[in-house]
Amino acid sequence: MSTATGAACSRSASPTVLRLAAQGASDGEIAATPGVSETTVKTHVGNLLAERGARDRVHAVIVAYECGLAGSSAARGWPGPGRAGPGRTPGR
């Protein structure tokens, strides 16, 4: 596995979307954020893949961990699949 370069970590396209995806959020769950449509999330994910040189969503998650955008120190704002959080009911 390669280490993320500074360039891959410093890209501007939505680090929040990358962080939430790395925590396991689906496009629909990320889109539950007020004012963000699922189409917008899909666009951000596509931009993230291109800007970070990631082959697929899994590779983008690896980059997120290597850049410190995901993991225990970055776990803010989304509690994970099936867990209650702001505006969420467990199991939904």
Side-chain angles (χ1 to χ4, degrees):
M1 184 182 330
S2 65
T3 303
T5 64
C9 294
S10 65
R11 303 291 184 184
S12 61
S14 192
T16 301
V17 170
L18 179 57
R19 180 176 46 81
L20 293 174
Q23 293 174 352
S26 68
D27 290 347
E29 290 168 326
I30 297 169
T33 304
V36 179
S37 72
E38 192 164 351
T39 301
T40 299
V41 172
K42 289 179 181 184
T43 298
H44 280 300
V45 169
N47 291 341
L48 288 165
L49 295 176
E51 287 185 4
R52 287 176 166 79
R55 294 178 299 275
D56 53 30
R57 192 173 177 130
V58 172
H59 188 205
V61 169
I62 292 168
V63 171
Y65 273 87
E66 291 176 342
C67 293
L69 293 172
S72 60
S73 63
R76 297 182 298 266
W78 194 73
R83 296 180 185 95
R88 295 193 61 209
T89 304
R92 288 190 178 182

